[in-house]
Amino acid sequence: SGSRGGGVERGGAMSCAVGADGQHVCSPVEVQVHNTVAAVASDWPVHLSWMMQEYSLANHGVAEDAAADPRARVEAYNRWGVLLSSGGDFKRRLACHEAALEIKRAQYGHPAGDMHAELAHELQVIGNHYSMFERHGEAVTYLRRALHINRRRTDPKGNPMPHMESACLGDLASALMSQGEVTEALECYKASLDIELKLYGEVHKHSADTMFNMGMAYDRIGQPAAAVRYLRRALAGYETCLSPEHPTLLRTQANLNTLKRGHAIHAGGGVGGRDTSGGRGEL
């Protein structure tokens, strides 16, 4: 390409002109681009809000179009639900996943009581939301079904998916804790930790979260020595993977100090938050 105004055009890109004083001289196109970027940057929250609203409306339209492809409708409901929850509307997100589950049920039927592999995601997310709204019995029922599927689930290459089983075990344990079924919850936490130690090792946030939850569960049933043991292991993990000021690390230290003084913790739920299917653990 040839020169223009002292600059060089590269591959059809906008020109980069240089004046007699050696300073860059913006072309009209560059001026327009700069002004547009400045305008958007100055009012970014408004533009972002508008884009999110348009994205939400687009997904809403696909989700509720009965003539649309079922898989596209399910994906739209899932995306719409995530957008709703990002704005704090968890009840409407629950409704999105309930609608997605019904579409999948119509598509795959009801083999052996919701045991098709494609139903696991919705069952688990709905179970977590039922737990959030203190519908603990329903939460446990849905999470048991999801766990049954995830224990047998494989990826497209036929490989097992133990991380999905582990996350679902943690969710079920949290729901059982809310129901007061601490002994069974501990069994689920132990099974989850066994998988996590094989997948991630001792010093990993997933493992530390489960050890923290186990410590809280042991405290709840009056076994402070076991509670201290697991909270110490959790703290060692958090000190490696979290910043010193992280709330979870500070909370673990505070709980340990409380137990060492001979007092029960008597406050707070568990921790977690793997984004495999809409959340993990008590938040």
Side-chain angles (χ1 to χ4, degrees), residues 218-230:
Y218 277 118
D219 171 69
R220 190 162 164 180
I221 60 175
Q223 295 189 32
V228 167
R229 186 166 64 252
Y230 278 98

Side-chain angles (χ1 to χ4, degrees), residues 123 126-145 171-172 174-181 184:
L123 289 169
I126 290 170
N128 286 331
H129 279 71
Y130 283 158
S131 190
M132 182 187 302
F133 296 123
E134 299 185 358
R135 295 164 62 176
H136 302 307
E138 293 169 281
V140 168
T141 297
Y142 274 69
L143 289 167
R144 285 192 197 282
R145 292 176 183 174
D171 289 342
L172 177 58
S174 295
L176 289 165
M177 287 286 289
S178 298
Q179 265 196 320
E181 303 290 340
E184 187 179 355

Side-chain angles (χ1 to χ4, degrees), residues 9 13 22 52 69 82 88 93 103 135 145 147 154 160 186 201 236 242 246 251 257 264 268 282:
E9 292 186 55
M52 293 295 284
D69 175 72
V82 170
R93 180 179 182 180
I103 293 171
R135 295 164 62 176
R145 292 176 183 174
L147 177 60
T154 58
L186 270 168
L242 299 178
H246 194 283
R251 180 181 171 195
N257 291 336
E282 303 158 352

